[in-house]
Amino acid sequence: MKFKINLLNLTILTVFCLSLVLSLVFISNNILPSDSIMEGSDVISNPITSDYEDFKEGNFTGHEYSSFNLSLFLDEISSSVWGNLTVDFHNNDPVNFTRIPFHIYPSGMQYDSRAGYIDIINVTTLIEPKQELDFEVFSNNQLMWVNLTSELQPNNRTSFIIQFNTTLPDGGIDRANEHGWDHNKTRIFKFSNAYPQPCVYDEYDGWNTDPYLSTGDPFYFDMAYYDLIINVPENMIVAATGKLVKNQTLSGRTILHYNPEFPVREVTFSASRYFIVESSLYPDANVNISTFFLPKSYSLWHNFALTTAINAIDLYHTTFGDYCYSTFNVVEEYTHFGGMEYPLQVYATEAADYYSGQYSPEWYLETIIAHETAHQWFYNLLGVDEVDWGYLDEGIVCWVTDWYKDFYHPNWHIFEPYWGLDSLRYYFLGSGLPSKINQSVPECISSGTDYWYIGYTKTNTIFEKLRLTIGNDEFIQGLSTFFQDYYFDIADLTDLLNVFESSTGDSLDWFFYPWFNNPYLPNYQISNALYDVSTKLLDFTVFDINENLHQYSYSQVIPIQIFSEGSIMEFDEIKWINGTTEISIYIENVPEKIRLDYATLNEFVLFQASYYYMDYLEETNILITNQLIPGYNSLFLILSFSLLAILIIYKKSRLVTRY
């Protein structure tokens, strides 16, 4: 009887231990997250009424613009330009003005030994007897104010003349300069942003009186009619904004009269005794396209620069909309920039001759010309406040330049993959800097943001992601509609968003808000990975560890791969990841690892990399539920056989006791 009691206790203890083991290896899981997919909501924005069809034909009926007559005299010896700016200013804003500001930029430009400067000699009324007007000059801010004799009301005009003298900075560094030498036929005079330029009044800032900035393009101008008259020494070859309507030589001087015919945002000219000129007519738009370059650059520029300009004009004109002017010039320049855009005339650096980067000098020159030519569409015909929204036209133009390359040079594989993809992924890893796009140039400077990066790398890469998201045809059509809706007008990022929403018929807030406003990219992690053997469901969470740093949550598709033992692929599909996202996937076999695949290029996943060459994010810590954990099977068998043996012994012992 004693044996029977001990055996019963042992049996109870064995069953208890077995139950304890089983309780450790069985886990219940009732969480089944849905697969959230980003869907467009109803669009509430309406397309604006466009004047494109009228404007491209020169019909500006019902629209008033200011008019400027700029008369210039180039002094070759002193590298200075005497000028008269006759102003016929139209107030197209709903406020009264008592004074008007003008930018006088040259004193803010870089130089070698001779600083640039605009000396304002006087300001007088236009009507006889002429009356001097009071004006104030603030050299440190490159600004002057002209005080009016009476209040200028909306839809009214005022006229006056500004007499000035501009000293061109030397050194061949900035937008206006004189550089080069006569002995080797390399001297060039470049007159850009070198006359009093009227500031813009808008609803956001009032008068935009920002000083000259060495970061970005510090320009923001309204459309206006211009007449440009340039007096230069005889035999000087001039490239200037507009159609040459008069050419007269008197007493060793040549007087050239240029008329852009349609409104432009500003004018420029460049002069040299040594320019070689090549020209051709682009018949589809009746545009006379010309290149101006130095003899030293003949082998690179001859025919090649002109062909590139024609190709660019043709592609952009037929895709986005009319280039309505009758002339377009590409001019060689001295500069620390690659090039610079102005209405009807762009500049490309002479340093292309010596380019020794990853590609050839031809590649570099073609890139500059294609880029600056695209600014005729996105800067001149469609205007942007380049101080507050400079990234917008630069980002569009950088993408358009790459599209030009892909169109004419498909073997370059520009989008396979897009060069900006890895730049964005590894930017924070290398710099540690935030990179919010939607901020002004001064805000970039104060926040420690690299404007060159967001304007020339990040923004165009985000546009490439948008193209892949909404489709190539929809993206190109959106840019074309944007251009035509704001032809001869000024636009911003909200306008672009509204155009794309109207064009696609879907809300795109979910795309524009995070990608343009967040300072950091998403940094994904995988957590809470559970696999239920009974339901064959794998549940896990993809979360963004930067989410608390974002103003808006990111949404994008990411390829997800699931592998079972032996790296056998069980699942390979894309899923929408919307901020922190819970995912549930049916998997037939027990999974071993979960992978977010970043190497599938056509999905264009953007993320903040934790290390270089990060092609995927992997999670192997998957908790298996409703199944004995591997390694406990042997223990289970031992306990089971032990229990069976005890029961057999117990039964035999009872037989022995009974008999």
Side-chain angles (χ1 to χ4, degrees):
M1 192 67 181
K2 183 178 180 181
F3 175 79
K4 180 179 178 181
I5 295 173
N6 290 340
L7 185 60
L8 180 60
N9 290 340
L10 180 60
T11 302
I12 294 172
L13 179 62
T14 302
V15 172
F16 173 78
C17 292
L18 179 60
S19 300
L20 180 62
V21 171
L22 293 177
S23 68
L24 292 173
V25 299
F26 282 94
I27 301 174
S28 298
N29 177 28
N30 297 317
I31 302 175
L32 297 176
S34 61
D35 183 23
S36 178
I37 298 178
M38 177 59 64
E39 296 179 352
S41 60
D42 293 337
V43 179
I44 59 175
S45 58
N46 295 314
I48 69 169
T49 301
S50 173
D51 294 300
Y52 170 73
E53 294 298 333
D54 289 333
F55 285 179
K56 73 176 185 177
E57 301 298 332
N59 180 8
F60 295 94
T61 302
H63 297 269
E64 296 286 341
Y65 296 96
S66 297
S67 296
F68 302 100
N69 186 307
L70 182 60
S71 181
L72 305 171
F73 182 100
L74 173 63
D75 186 334
E76 190 176 16
I77 296 175
S78 64
S79 297
S80 63
V81 178
W82 293 85
N84 287 323
L85 178 66
T86 301
V87 176
D88 179 18
F89 186 89
H90 177 260
N91 181 5
N92 58 3
D93 293 292
V95 294
N96 297 338
F97 297 140
T98 58
R99 58 179 187 161
I100 300 172
F102 290 77
H103 299 289
I104 47 176
Y105 285 131
S107 61
M109 296 183 185
Q110 299 179 64
Y111 62 94
D112 185 4
S113 59
R114 183 183 64 243
Y117 188 75
I118 293 183
D119 180 25
I120 304 299
I121 299 170
N122 61 45
V123 181
T124 64
T125 58
L126 185 61
I127 301 174
E128 298 287 352
K130 292 183 179 179
Q131 175 185 351
E132 289 195 2
L133 299 180
D134 291 334
F135 63 90
E136 298 173 276
V137 174
F138 301 91
S139 298
N140 290 338
N141 294 321
Q142 298 88 49
L143 190 69
M144 70 171 291
W145 289 86
V146 175
N147 297 315
L148 305 178
T149 56
S150 61
E151 195 171 60
L152 180 63
Q153 297 180 350
N155 297 315
N156 280 264
R157 292 179 174 272
T158 187
S159 299
F160 49 87
I161 301 174
I162 302 175
Q163 186 178 1
F164 64 94
N165 180 37
T166 299
T167 298
L168 297 175
D170 70 344
I173 301 171
D174 223 317
R175 291 173 174 88
N177 65 64
E178 172 273 327
H179 191 65
W181 298 267
D182 289 317
H183 73 271
N184 62 358
K185 300 182 178 180
T186 61
R187 193 180 189 195
I188 298 175
F189 299 87
K190 186 175 60 171
F191 185 88
S192 300
N193 305 110
Y195 62 95
Q197 296 185 262
C199 300
V200 174
Y201 186 95
D202 65 26
E203 60 182 305
Y204 304 108
D205 304 312
W207 285 113
N208 286 259
T209 58
D210 303 276
Y212 188 82
L213 299 171
S214 58
T215 299
D217 297 328
F219 308 128
Y220 180 24
F221 305 119
D222 280 322
M223 282 289 196
Y225 287 104
Y226 272 89
D227 248 351
L228 177 59
I229 299 173
I230 308 169
N231 187 316
V232 297
E234 188 176 6
N235 298 323
M236 189 76 74
I237 300 168
V238 175
T241 302
K243 180 180 180 180
L244 180 61
V245 295
K246 187 176 182 180
N247 183 343
Q248 183 180 16
T249 299
L250 295 171
S251 304
R253 305 280 305 183
T254 299
I255 302 172
L256 305 164
H257 180 191
Y258 295 89
N259 186 350
E261 301 171 294
F262 291 177
V264 294
R265 301 195 184 276
E266 56 183 320
V267 293
T268 179
F269 85 84
S270 184
S272 175
R273 293 185 178 276
Y274 314 109
F275 275 146
I276 297 171
V277 183
E278 295 180 346
S279 300
S280 180
L281 180 69
Y282 171 62
D284 288 2
N286 197 30
V287 181
N288 186 63
I289 302 175
S290 301
T291 55
F292 296 74
F293 54 92
L294 296 172
K296 75 177 187 66
S297 305
Y298 184 86
S299 61
L300 176 60
W301 279 67
H302 173 56
N303 288 336
F304 178 74
L306 183 60
T307 299
T308 299
I310 293 171
N311 287 342
I313 290 284
D314 180 49
L315 180 62
Y316 307 153
H317 174 81
T318 56
T319 302
F320 303 121
D322 267 44
Y323 179 84
C324 57
Y325 306 101
S326 62
T327 63
F328 178 69
N329 300 328
V330 179
V331 185
E332 189 170 22
E333 68 165 340
Y334 293 103
T335 182
H336 282 193
F337 307 102
M340 189 62 205
E341 70 275 8
Y342 292 92
L344 288 66
Q345 180 157 306
V346 300
Y347 294 93
T349 178
E350 56 84 36
D353 294 355
Y354 321 111
Y355 178 78
S356 58
Q358 181 179 359
Y359 304 103
S360 66
E362 289 79 8
W363 175 92
Y364 186 43
L365 180 60
E366 185 171 10
T367 297
I368 295 171
I369 295 174
H371 178 101
E372 305 305 343
T373 302
H375 275 301
Q376 298 304 304
W377 279 258
F378 302 102
Y379 141 75
N380 179 42
L381 287 166
L382 180 153
V384 171
D385 178 349
E386 295 189 87
V387 176
D388 290 346
W389 308 85
Y391 63 85
L392 183 56
D393 74 306
E394 288 299 345
I396 292 175
V397 164
C398 284
W399 186 89
V400 168
T401 302
D402 290 327
W403 180 62
Y404 163 97
K405 293 177 183 178
D406 188 64
F407 185 87
Y408 287 108
H409 306 284
N411 58 311
W412 289 3
H413 304 292
I414 294 296
F415 297 107
E416 303 172 11
Y418 189 62
W419 62 271
L421 181 63
D422 281 346
S423 296
L424 266 62
R425 288 176 171 181
Y426 302 116
Y427 177 74
F428 182 80
L429 186 63
S431 70
L433 296 175
S435 58
K436 175 182 175 180
I437 294 176
N438 188 17
Q439 54 183 326
S440 68
V441 175
E443 286 172 336
C444 285
I445 295 172
S446 63
S447 66
T449 304
D450 183 351
Y451 170 78
W452 303 110
Y453 167 73
I454 68 166
Y456 294 80
T457 298
K458 187 174 182 181
T459 304
N460 44 294
T461 304
I462 297 304
F463 283 135
E464 172 61 8
K465 184 172 182 65
L466 178 62
R467 181 181 75 92
L468 294 173
T469 300
I470 66 176
N472 181 75
D473 292 346
E474 290 77 5
F475 181 74
I476 297 297
Q477 181 58 51
L479 287 182
S480 176
T481 302
F482 182 52
F483 169 74
Q484 295 181 23
D485 281 357
Y486 292 92
Y487 201 57
F488 282 82
D489 207 341
I490 291 171
D492 58 29
L493 183 63
T494 301
D495 298 321
L496 180 64
L497 167 60
N498 291 338
V499 166
F500 271 116
E501 287 185 333
S502 296
S503 178
T504 61
D506 290 322
S507 171
L508 290 171
D509 290 358
W510 63 269
F511 184 94
F512 275 75
Y513 285 7
W515 293 113
F516 283 93
N517 289 289
N518 289 343
Y520 303 97
L521 294 183
N523 188 349
Y524 294 114
Q525 295 293 323
I526 302 172
S527 66
N528 304 326
L530 302 171
Y531 181 70
D532 189 322
V533 175
S534 64
T535 62
K536 298 187 181 298
L537 288 177
L538 172 63
D539 300 322
F540 59 95
T541 301
V542 178
F543 70 97
D544 175 8
I545 63 176
N546 284 344
E547 195 157 18
N548 290 335
L549 302 175
H550 303 327
Q551 186 177 359
Y552 304 97
S553 294
Y554 287 102
S555 295
Q556 61 179 324
V557 292
I558 300 180
I560 294 179
Q561 299 171 343
I562 312 294
F563 299 88
S564 59
E565 187 176 359
S567 296
I568 297 174
M569 180 86 72
E570 299 287 342
F571 180 89
D572 185 13
E573 294 182 14
I574 63 171
K575 291 286 184 181
W576 275 101
I577 305 301
N578 308 319
T580 295
T581 303
E582 295 178 335
I583 296 175
S584 183
I585 300 174
Y586 180 87
I587 301 294
E588 182 65 31
N589 297 310
V590 177
E592 187 177 74
K593 58 186 175 184
I594 305 167
R595 176 180 292 178
L596 303 187
D597 177 27
Y598 299 146
T600 304
L601 299 177
N602 59 332
E603 300 307 337
F604 211 81
V605 180
L606 291 177
F607 64 95
Q608 180 180 299
S610 302
Y611 53 87
Y612 289 105
Y613 309 109
M614 186 176 179
D615 291 334
Y616 57 84
L617 174 69
E618 199 165 82
E619 175 60 57
T620 58
N621 185 22
I622 302 174
L623 194 57
I624 310 301
T625 70
N626 291 332
Q627 174 181 292
L628 290 175
I629 297 176
Y632 284 88
N633 290 345
S634 298
L635 176 60
F636 177 74
L637 290 174
I638 292 172
L639 290 173
S640 298
F641 281 118
S642 298
L643 178 59
L644 180 61
I646 291 171
L647 291 175
I648 293 172
I649 294 171
Y650 173 67
K651 185 174 182 180
K652 288 183 178 181
S653 67
R654 291 193 63 186
L655 291 173
V656 171
T657 304
R658 182 179 301 175
Y659 296 102

